[in-house]
Amino acid sequence: MAAFFRWLRRNVIVIAGLLTLAYLLLPNIVVTVFSFNKPKGRFNYSWQEFSLDAWQDPCGVADMCGSLSLSLQIATWATIGATVLGTMIAFALVRYRFRARGAINSLIFLPMAMPEVVMAASLLTLFLNMGAQLGFWTVLIAHIMFCLSFVVTAVKARVMSMDPRLEQAAQDLYAGPVQTFLRVTLPIAAPGIAAGALLAFALSFDDFIITNFNAGSTVTFPMFVWGSAQRGTPVQINVIGTAMFLVAVLLVLSGMLIGKRRNKQSR
Protein backbone atom coordinates (compact mmCIF):
# COMPACT_ATOMS: atom_id res chain seq x y z
CA MET A 1 0.00 0.00 0.00
CA ALA A 2 2.83 2.39 0.81
CA ALA A 3 4.37 1.73 -2.61
CA PHE A 4 1.05 2.50 -4.28
CA PHE A 5 0.77 5.86 -2.51
CA ARG A 6 4.34 6.74 -3.47
CA TRP A 7 3.56 5.93 -7.11
CA LEU A 8 0.34 7.95 -6.89
CA ARG A 9 2.17 10.94 -5.43
CA ARG A 10 4.76 10.84 -8.21
CA ASN A 11 2.16 10.62 -10.99
CA VAL A 12 -0.70 12.68 -9.58
CA ILE A 13 -0.20 15.49 -12.14
CA VAL A 14 -0.19 13.05 -15.06
CA ILE A 15 -3.30 11.30 -13.75
CA ALA A 16 -5.10 14.60 -13.22
CA GLY A 17 -4.18 15.69 -16.76
CA LEU A 18 -5.44 12.44 -18.28
CA LEU A 19 -8.71 12.64 -16.33
CA THR A 20 -9.22 16.23 -17.45
CA LEU A 21 -8.52 15.28 -21.06
CA ALA A 22 -10.97 12.36 -20.84
CA TYR A 23 -13.61 14.70 -19.41
CA LEU A 24 -13.09 17.18 -22.26
CA LEU A 25 -13.19 14.48 -24.94
CA LEU A 26 -16.23 12.64 -23.55
CA PRO A 27 -18.79 14.67 -25.60
CA ASN A 28 -16.77 14.04 -28.77
CA ILE A 29 -16.70 10.32 -28.04
CA VAL A 30 -20.48 10.28 -27.55
CA VAL A 31 -21.01 12.16 -30.82
CA THR A 32 -18.72 9.72 -32.64
CA VAL A 33 -20.44 6.64 -31.22
CA PHE A 34 -23.92 7.90 -32.11
CA SER A 35 -22.82 8.71 -35.65
CA PHE A 36 -22.98 4.94 -36.20
CA ASN A 37 -26.45 4.62 -34.70
CA LYS A 38 -29.66 3.82 -36.53
CA PRO A 39 -32.46 5.38 -34.45
CA LYS A 40 -36.02 4.19 -34.84
CA GLY A 41 -37.55 7.62 -34.25
CA ARG A 42 -36.65 11.18 -35.14
CA PHE A 43 -34.26 11.72 -32.21
CA ASN A 44 -30.79 10.22 -32.03
CA TYR A 45 -30.62 10.13 -28.24
CA SER A 46 -30.66 6.40 -27.45
CA TRP A 47 -28.63 3.59 -28.98
CA GLN A 48 -30.57 1.23 -31.23
CA GLU A 49 -28.27 -0.61 -33.63
CA PHE A 50 -24.98 -0.20 -35.47
CA SER A 51 -25.26 1.23 -38.99
CA LEU A 52 -23.10 2.95 -41.61
CA ASP A 53 -26.06 4.51 -43.44
CA ALA A 54 -25.36 8.04 -42.22
CA TRP A 55 -21.67 7.84 -43.17
CA GLN A 56 -22.56 6.57 -46.63
CA ASP A 57 -24.98 9.47 -47.18
CA PRO A 58 -23.81 12.45 -45.07
CA CYS A 59 -25.89 14.88 -47.16
CA GLY A 60 -29.05 12.83 -46.91
CA VAL A 61 -30.82 15.51 -44.87
CA ALA A 62 -32.24 18.39 -46.89
CA ASP A 63 -30.32 21.69 -46.67
CA MET A 64 -27.75 20.35 -44.19
CA CYS A 65 -24.77 20.30 -46.53
CA GLY A 66 -25.84 23.69 -47.89
CA SER A 67 -25.71 25.19 -44.40
CA LEU A 68 -22.38 23.44 -43.78
CA SER A 69 -20.93 24.90 -46.97
CA LEU A 70 -22.17 28.36 -45.99
CA SER A 71 -20.57 28.06 -42.53
CA LEU A 72 -17.27 27.00 -44.08
CA GLN A 73 -17.35 29.96 -46.48
CA ILE A 74 -18.10 32.45 -43.71
CA ALA A 75 -15.47 30.93 -41.42
CA THR A 76 -12.83 31.02 -44.18
CA TRP A 77 -13.42 34.64 -45.14
CA ALA A 78 -13.79 35.71 -41.49
CA THR A 79 -10.49 33.99 -40.70
CA ILE A 80 -8.71 35.75 -43.56
CA GLY A 81 -10.15 39.15 -42.64
CA ALA A 82 -9.57 38.82 -38.89
CA THR A 83 -6.05 37.41 -39.36
CA VAL A 84 -4.91 40.20 -41.70
CA LEU A 85 -6.41 42.99 -39.60
CA GLY A 86 -5.45 41.37 -36.28
CA THR A 87 -1.83 40.86 -37.35
CA MET A 88 -1.46 44.49 -38.41
CA ILE A 89 -3.07 45.71 -35.17
CA ALA A 90 -0.82 43.45 -33.07
CA PHE A 91 2.35 44.74 -34.76
CA ALA A 92 1.17 48.32 -34.40
CA LEU A 93 0.43 47.92 -30.68
CA VAL A 94 3.78 46.26 -29.95
CA ARG A 95 6.17 48.10 -32.25
CA TYR A 96 4.85 51.69 -32.26
CA ARG A 97 4.09 54.37 -29.70
CA PHE A 98 1.11 56.61 -30.41
CA ARG A 99 -1.69 58.42 -28.63
CA ALA A 100 -4.51 56.30 -27.17
CA ARG A 101 -2.31 53.20 -27.44
CA GLY A 102 -3.18 52.19 -23.88
CA ALA A 103 -6.89 52.75 -24.47
CA ILE A 104 -6.82 50.64 -27.63
CA ASN A 105 -4.95 47.90 -25.78
CA SER A 106 -7.77 47.83 -23.24
CA LEU A 107 -10.63 48.15 -25.74
CA ILE A 108 -9.32 45.33 -27.93
CA PHE A 109 -10.14 42.85 -25.16
CA LEU A 110 -13.75 43.99 -24.74
CA PRO A 111 -15.24 41.52 -27.26
CA MET A 112 -13.52 38.69 -25.38
CA ALA A 113 -14.88 39.79 -22.01
CA MET A 114 -18.29 40.97 -23.21
CA PRO A 115 -21.18 38.46 -23.31
CA GLU A 116 -21.91 37.42 -26.89
CA VAL A 117 -25.57 38.38 -26.62
CA VAL A 118 -24.60 42.00 -25.85
CA MET A 119 -22.31 42.19 -28.87
CA ALA A 120 -24.90 40.46 -31.05
CA ALA A 121 -27.64 42.90 -30.07
CA SER A 122 -25.30 45.88 -30.55
CA LEU A 123 -24.32 44.73 -34.03
CA LEU A 124 -27.94 44.11 -34.94
CA THR A 125 -28.84 47.65 -33.84
CA LEU A 126 -25.96 49.04 -35.90
CA PHE A 127 -26.98 47.14 -39.03
CA LEU A 128 -30.64 48.12 -38.69
CA ASN A 129 -29.76 51.81 -38.19
CA MET A 130 -27.56 51.65 -41.29
CA GLY A 131 -30.38 50.08 -43.28
CA ALA A 132 -28.28 47.02 -44.10
CA GLN A 133 -30.04 43.86 -45.22
CA LEU A 134 -29.32 41.02 -42.84
CA GLY A 135 -27.66 38.04 -44.48
CA PHE A 136 -24.28 36.70 -45.54
CA TRP A 137 -22.40 40.01 -45.39
CA THR A 138 -23.72 41.10 -42.00
CA VAL A 139 -22.78 37.72 -40.54
CA LEU A 140 -19.31 37.94 -42.08
CA ILE A 141 -18.73 41.46 -40.72
CA ALA A 142 -19.95 40.39 -37.28
CA HIS A 143 -17.67 37.34 -37.26
CA ILE A 144 -14.62 39.37 -38.26
CA MET A 145 -15.30 41.84 -35.45
CA PHE A 146 -15.82 39.02 -32.98
CA CYS A 147 -12.69 37.07 -33.97
CA LEU A 148 -10.42 40.11 -34.25
CA SER A 149 -9.63 40.31 -30.52
CA PHE A 150 -8.57 36.67 -30.35
CA VAL A 151 -6.21 37.05 -33.31
CA VAL A 152 -4.68 40.22 -31.86
CA THR A 153 -4.08 38.49 -28.54
CA ALA A 154 -2.38 35.46 -30.12
CA VAL A 155 -0.20 37.45 -32.52
CA LYS A 156 0.66 40.11 -29.95
CA ALA A 157 2.00 37.51 -27.52
CA ARG A 158 4.26 36.13 -30.25
CA VAL A 159 5.50 39.53 -31.42
CA MET A 160 6.33 40.61 -27.87
CA SER A 161 8.58 37.57 -27.45
CA MET A 162 10.53 38.26 -30.66
CA ASP A 163 14.17 39.27 -30.37
CA PRO A 164 14.61 42.61 -32.20
CA ARG A 165 18.32 41.88 -32.66
CA LEU A 166 17.45 39.32 -35.35
CA GLU A 167 15.86 42.02 -37.50
CA GLN A 168 18.75 44.36 -36.76
CA ALA A 169 21.18 41.67 -37.90
CA ALA A 170 19.26 41.27 -41.15
CA GLN A 171 19.43 45.03 -41.73
CA ASP A 172 23.18 44.99 -41.01
CA LEU A 173 23.47 42.39 -43.79
CA TYR A 174 21.87 44.90 -46.21
CA ALA A 175 18.37 43.39 -46.17
CA GLY A 176 15.69 45.92 -47.04
CA PRO A 177 12.50 46.43 -45.01
CA VAL A 178 10.50 44.06 -47.22
CA GLN A 179 13.20 41.36 -47.18
CA THR A 180 13.56 41.67 -43.41
CA PHE A 181 9.84 41.31 -42.90
CA LEU A 182 9.38 38.38 -45.30
CA ARG A 183 12.50 36.40 -44.33
CA VAL A 184 12.88 37.20 -40.63
CA THR A 185 9.88 38.84 -39.01
CA LEU A 186 7.08 36.90 -40.68
CA PRO A 187 8.59 33.39 -40.18
CA ILE A 188 9.13 34.11 -36.48
CA ALA A 189 5.62 35.50 -36.04
CA ALA A 190 4.05 32.71 -38.14
CA PRO A 191 3.19 30.37 -35.21
CA GLY A 192 1.24 33.14 -33.47
CA ILE A 193 -0.50 34.11 -36.71
CA ALA A 194 -1.39 30.48 -37.40
CA ALA A 195 -2.72 30.02 -33.87
CA GLY A 196 -4.88 33.14 -34.19
CA ALA A 197 -6.17 32.01 -37.59
CA LEU A 198 -7.12 28.54 -36.35
CA LEU A 199 -8.83 30.03 -33.31
CA ALA A 200 -10.73 32.50 -35.50
CA PHE A 201 -11.88 29.72 -37.84
CA ALA A 202 -13.11 27.57 -34.97
CA LEU A 203 -14.94 30.46 -33.30
CA SER A 204 -16.57 31.60 -36.54
CA PHE A 205 -17.66 28.14 -37.64
CA ASP A 206 -19.08 27.33 -34.20
CA ASP A 207 -20.80 30.64 -33.43
CA PHE A 208 -24.56 30.64 -32.93
CA ILE A 209 -25.60 33.65 -30.83
CA ILE A 210 -24.06 36.43 -32.94
CA THR A 211 -25.06 34.63 -36.14
CA ASN A 212 -28.65 34.13 -34.99
CA PHE A 213 -29.08 37.85 -34.33
CA ASN A 214 -27.58 39.04 -37.62
CA ALA A 215 -28.29 36.26 -40.13
CA GLY A 216 -31.77 37.20 -41.30
CA SER A 217 -32.90 34.29 -43.49
CA THR A 218 -29.37 32.91 -43.82
CA VAL A 219 -28.97 29.49 -42.14
CA THR A 220 -25.50 28.39 -41.04
CA PHE A 221 -24.66 24.92 -39.76
CA PRO A 222 -25.00 25.78 -36.02
CA MET A 223 -28.41 27.34 -36.75
CA PHE A 224 -29.41 24.25 -38.74
CA VAL A 225 -28.43 22.01 -35.80
CA TRP A 226 -30.43 24.17 -33.39
CA GLY A 227 -33.46 24.10 -35.68
CA SER A 228 -33.17 20.35 -36.18
CA ALA A 229 -33.12 19.79 -32.44
CA GLN A 230 -36.68 21.12 -32.30
CA ARG A 231 -37.98 18.57 -34.83
CA GLY A 232 -35.50 15.71 -34.60
CA THR A 233 -31.76 15.14 -34.69
CA PRO A 234 -30.58 13.31 -37.81
CA VAL A 235 -27.55 11.06 -37.47
CA GLN A 236 -25.81 13.03 -40.22
CA ILE A 237 -25.26 15.85 -37.71
CA ASN A 238 -23.13 13.47 -35.66
CA VAL A 239 -21.29 12.44 -38.81
CA ILE A 240 -20.38 16.05 -39.65
CA GLY A 241 -19.35 16.72 -36.05
CA THR A 242 -17.14 13.62 -35.98
CA ALA A 243 -15.54 14.54 -39.30
CA MET A 244 -14.75 18.08 -38.10
CA PHE A 245 -13.28 16.71 -34.88
CA LEU A 246 -11.05 14.27 -36.78
CA VAL A 247 -9.86 17.02 -39.11
CA ALA A 248 -8.95 19.20 -36.11
CA VAL A 249 -7.04 16.33 -34.48
CA LEU A 250 -5.14 15.65 -37.72
CA LEU A 251 -4.20 19.32 -38.02
CA VAL A 252 -2.89 19.39 -34.45
CA LEU A 253 -0.90 16.17 -34.91
CA SER A 254 0.51 17.43 -38.22
CA GLY A 255 1.59 20.67 -36.56
CA MET A 256 3.30 18.74 -33.76
CA LEU A 257 5.17 16.49 -36.22
CA ILE A 258 6.30 19.45 -38.32
CA GLY A 259 7.50 21.24 -35.19
CA LYS A 260 9.49 18.20 -34.03
CA ARG A 261 11.12 17.80 -37.44
CA ARG A 262 12.14 21.45 -37.51
CA ASN A 263 13.60 21.19 -34.02
CA LYS A 264 15.64 18.16 -35.05
CA GLN A 265 16.88 19.90 -38.19
CA SER A 266 17.86 23.02 -36.24
CA ARG A 267 19.96 20.91 -33.89
Side-chain angles (χ1 to χ4, degrees):
M1 185 62 71
F4 171 76
F5 281 111
R6 284 197 299 270
W7 175 86
L8 184 63
R9 191 163 51 248
R10 287 195 305 268
N11 298 279
V12 62
I13 296 179
V14 176
I15 295 172
L18 291 175
L19 290 175
T20 303
L21 183 62
Y23 174 75
L24 292 174
L25 293 179
L26 183 60
N28 301 93
I29 295 173
V30 173
V31 169
T32 302
V33 170
F34 276 84
S35 69
F36 298 98
N37 188 27
K38 188 176 182 180
K40 294 181 180 179
R42 295 180 301 166
F43 296 95
N44 187 26
Y45 295 154
S46 59
W47 181 263
Q48 300 296 330
E49 60 177 297
F50 181 85
S51 175
L52 293 173
D53 293 345
W55 282 93
Q56 294 173 354
D57 188 17
C59 294
V61 180
D63 299 328
M64 190 183 73
C65 283
S67 65
L68 175 63
S69 175
L70 182 62
S71 286
L72 291 174
Q73 291 178 44
I74 292 175
T76 300
W77 287 111
T79 299
I80 294 173
T83 302
V84 172
L85 292 175
T87 300
M88 292 191 293
I89 292 172
F91 271 96
L93 290 175
V94 174
R95 295 293 180 86
Y96 299 97
R97 299 291 182 268
F98 51 88
R99 290 184 179 180
R101 178 172 172 268
I104 295 175
N105 260 318
S106 301
L107 291 173
I108 205 71
F109 292 101
L110 275 182
M112 300 173 61
M114 186 186 304
E116 281 192 51
V117 66
V118 176
M119 186 174 184
S122 301
L123 287 169
L124 176 61
T125 304
L126 173 65
F127 291 138
L128 292 178
N129 287 333
M130 293 175 59
Q133 184 177 359
L134 300 181
F136 177 89
W137 293 106
T138 55
V139 173
L140 179 59
I141 293 170
H143 281 206
I144 292 175
M145 294 181 67
F146 172 64
C147 297
L148 192 60
S149 298
F150 296 90
V151 177
V152 171
T153 302
V155 178
K156 185 181 173 185
R158 182 66 178 178
V159 175
M160 290 178 67
S161 66
M162 290 172 58
D163 190 350
R165 290 175 296 182
L166 296 174
E167 295 169 298
Q168 294 171 3
Q171 294 169 359
D172 290 341
L173 295 172
Y174 303 102
V178 177
Q179 286 181 310
T180 302
F181 178 77
L182 293 178
R183 296 189 178 185
V184 179
T185 308
L186 188 60
I188 297 175
I193 297 173
L198 290 174
L199 185 59
F201 184 88
L203 290 169
S204 175
F205 180 84
D206 187 56
D207 184 78
F208 172 77
I209 297 177
I210 293 177
T211 306
N212 191 40
F213 270 74
N214 299 280
S217 59
T218 303
V219 179
T220 60
F221 185 68
M223 294 177 65
F224 177 87
V225 173
W226 178 80
S228 297
Q230 315 302 313
R231 307 182 302 271
T233 50
V235 185
Q236 282 82 355
I237 290 177
N238 295 64
V239 173
I240 299 299
T242 302
M244 296 297 294
F245 172 71
L246 293 177
V247 169
V249 171
L250 289 175
L251 286 175
V252 172
L253 293 177
S254 300
M256 292 174 62
L257 291 175
I258 293 172
K260 288 182 179 180
R261 287 183 180 179
R262 287 182 177 177
N263 290 334
K264 288 181 180 180
Q265 291 175 355
S266 62
R267 291 176 184 175

